[in-house]
Amino acid sequence: MWQVRGGMEPPEEQGATYRQAVESLDGLLPANTRNIRIWHAAIDAHLSLGLANLPFSRRSAESDFARAAGLAGLIVSRDPEDSQERGELAVALRRSALISAMEGRLNESDRLRGQATEELRRITIEAPASTRQEDRAGPSCPSMDEQFSEGNSLMALQAGDLLIGNRGSGGVPGALLVFSPGSHEMSVLSTGRYLSDMVDVASGSRTELYVAGRSRTGSGTIVRLRYDARDGRWLEKPITCGGLLHRPAAIAYRDKRLILADADGQSARLIGVDLVTGWQTLLGRTDTLTEPGKMVYSAAGDYYLSLFWSGEGGPAEIVRLNPNTRKLSVAARYGFLDSPVALAMTPRGDLIAGNREWAANGGNGSIVRIDWRGVQKTVYRSPELSRVTAVAVASEREAWYASAAAPFSSAGLFKLDLVTGKSERIPIVGGLLGAPNALVYVH
């Protein structure tokens, strides 16, 4: 009852309601050591009071989060199988980490976030090895014929063009758009047919592209698009479908090597694709509680993949894949990263992450720059970045990012100065920018 009442009150009055609940429930705990419902309610009350106090007193909020963690820890120590309280413990640790980060104690914040992730992983159920996907699979496309693309773009890509991959939305199929920053002209390179839902795009050259997404049948698909100079048209052809591909999220191409990140339950799988045969090979799997964001390659030959967890308390990191050894290592973890859903790389090798921040941070998102040592720096924070979906880098100074639509707010395309942090929204007419999920700057 107190939760409903508190949630309906103005922010400045919520604290009083939650405080009354805390005082009442804490007073009942000594005489009700075996009444788990009262303990659950007390933990929830401290977590709610902490959030209500956060804008006014970090010390009070930190005390309430610590109290919630202590109570949850007691229950878990008595009953290690209580997954609900282990989850509440992870939430309390994550919120304590938020206070540490606000006060500049990043090492302490990272430690608490690591503990929260481990608590969640203890209640994660992994699929038995016998039921896991095979290491290799062949293509299973209904059709692999090359056909002319259903778009109005009749030219090869130009240096400086921006490719925008639109997801399918509201019954409207996805579309691969070409935007010219100089003229602000927009054209459709491909839509429908083999790909109705585009999740990511990789560029092989100005005349060769690879698009990851879902086909009309719902299976994961990779489609190659190439420009035919004789006919002045773009053609498209599926190169692999189904098999290991469940829920494609990111794709990267380098030196005729194509690697895909695919969401698999509570982890991410990295899959290599043979461009000639379409055969898929499992290269590696991340730890549990990870959703793939986006992937880029470096001049050194490594691939970088951003990982996040959609719930509260899980990991936020960027991992490095050596495609020759198939070894995964952590390049950056926690710090300013909450949900690094987008990723790009500067010519010098700095990573640029499009980061959705946890709601308690004020409803913002951020662009975070990460150097080769893993040192993070926030370049820019703003409310529209709470919906960031993709990032592209043109130079050490120039970057672009896209944001998803929300109630009373349309999808957006933005240009960002990585040095000054100045952002500029690009006006898009004609309603073509529906659900942008991928950006590629053409060099």
Side-chain angles (χ1 to χ4, degrees), residues 59-73:
R59 180 171 297 181
S60 297
E62 189 169 29
S63 175
D64 280 302
F65 294 149
R67 174 65 171 163
L71 293 175

Side-chain angles (χ1 to χ4, degrees), residues 185-203:
E185 294 179 350
M186 184 90 78
S187 60
V188 178
L189 194 152
S190 177
T191 184
R193 186 169 282 155
Y194 289 127
L195 279 169
S196 58
D197 188 11
M198 304 185 187
V199 296
D200 202 11
V201 182
S203 173

Side-chain angles (χ1 to χ4, degrees), residues 396-419:
E396 290 295 324
R397 183 158 192 167
E398 181 185 319
W400 298 77
Y401 64 89
S403 64
F408 312 111
S409 181
S410 60
L413 177 66
F414 300 81
K415 184 179 179 180
L416 175 68
D417 189 317
L418 292 171
V419 176

Side-chain angles (χ1 to χ4, degrees), residues 67-80:
R67 174 65 171 163
L71 293 175
L74 284 174
I75 296 178
V76 169
S77 65
R78 293 189 306 215
D79 182 8

Side-chain angles (χ1 to χ4, degrees), residues 320-339:
R320 180 192 298 109
L321 169 71
N322 183 317
N324 297 318
T325 64
R326 302 188 183 182
K327 296 294 185 182
L328 284 167
S329 58
V330 175
R333 174 178 286 162
Y334 301 128
F336 296 128
L337 302 177
D338 276 303
S339 293

Side-chain angles (χ1 to χ4, degrees), residues 80-380:
E81 301 302 318
D82 192 330
S83 59
Q84 178 180 340
E85 279 321 301
R86 202 174 283 280
E88 295 280 33
L89 175 56
V91 169
L93 290 168
R94 173 65 183 90
R95 295 185 183 180
S96 296
L98 173 65
I99 306 258
S100 299
M102 286 178 169
E103 296 185 346
R105 295 181 276 128
L106 291 182
N107 289 337
E108 174 70 5
S109 175
D110 289 353
R111 183 186 66 81
L112 291 168
R113 292 178 70 178
Q115 289 183 5
T117 297
E118 289 310 309
E119 291 298 332
L120 288 176
R121 283 184 171 144
R122 289 178 183 177
I123 60 177
T124 301
I125 301 176
E126 292 191 72
S130 60
T131 65
R132 288 186 175 175
Q133 190 73 34
E134 297 296 328
D135 289 340
R136 297 195 71 205
S140 56
C141 302
S143 171
M144 299 185 72
D145 295 334
E146 188 171 52
Q147 299 187 32
F148 284 117
S149 175
E150 295 181 354
N152 58 15
S153 181
L154 304 179
M155 297 175 58
L157 299 173
Q158 305 297 311
D161 283 348
L162 196 67
L163 289 167
I164 305 172
N166 255 346
R167 298 206 65 171
S169 177
V172 178
L176 182 59
L177 310 175
V178 182
F179 175 75
S180 173
S183 63
H184 282 200
E185 294 179 350
M186 184 90 78
S187 60
V188 178
L189 194 152
S190 177
T191 184
R193 186 169 282 155
Y194 289 127
L195 279 169
S196 58
D197 188 11
M198 304 185 187
V199 296
D200 202 11
V201 182
S203 173
S205 69
R206 297 182 196 174
T207 59
E208 184 180 21
L209 308 172
Y210 294 90
V211 181
R214 288 180 176 270
S215 67
R216 294 185 185 278
T217 61
S219 65
T221 303
I222 297 178
V223 173
R224 183 191 69 206
L225 293 102
R226 69 177 183 89
Y227 182 72
D228 189 332
R230 294 172 301 178
D231 292 314
R233 297 278 301 275
W234 284 87
L235 297 100
E236 57 186 60
K237 170 185 170 63
I239 61 171
T240 195
C241 310
L244 305 183
L245 310 186
H246 293 165
R247 190 157 56 91
I251 190 172
Y253 174 93
R254 177 180 172 83
D255 295 336
K256 299 190 180 299
R257 172 175 266 167
L258 194 66
I259 295 182
L260 178 90
D262 189 85
D264 181 24
Q266 292 184 327
S267 66
R269 293 174 305 130
L270 291 157
I271 300 166
V273 176
D274 188 300
L275 297 179
V276 177
T277 66
W279 271 89
Q280 309 158 15
T281 303
L282 182 64
L283 303 179
R285 181 192 295 268
T286 65
D287 208 343
T288 55
L289 293 178
T290 50
E291 284 275 336
K294 288 292 188 288
M295 184 164 45
V296 296
Y297 64 84
S298 71
D302 293 331
Y303 292 76
Y304 291 82
L305 173 68
S306 61
L307 298 168
F308 63 97
W309 178 242
S310 55
E312 186 180 346
E317 59 192 22
I318 297 171
V319 294
R320 180 192 298 109
L321 169 71
N322 183 317
N324 297 318
T325 64
R326 302 188 183 182
K327 296 294 185 182
L328 284 167
S329 58
V330 175
R333 174 178 286 162
Y334 301 128
F336 296 128
L337 302 177
D338 276 303
S339 293
V341 299
L343 192 66
M345 179 174 281
T346 70
R348 293 180 183 174
D350 285 357
L351 293 166
I352 305 296
N355 179 54
R356 296 179 183 175
E357 297 181 0
W358 182 44
N361 285 17
N364 288 304
S366 58
I367 297 293
V368 179
R369 188 170 194 145
I370 306 166
D371 68 17
W372 63 273
R373 299 166 296 177
V375 176
Q376 303 175 21
K377 178 183 178 181
T378 298
V379 176
Y380 179 62

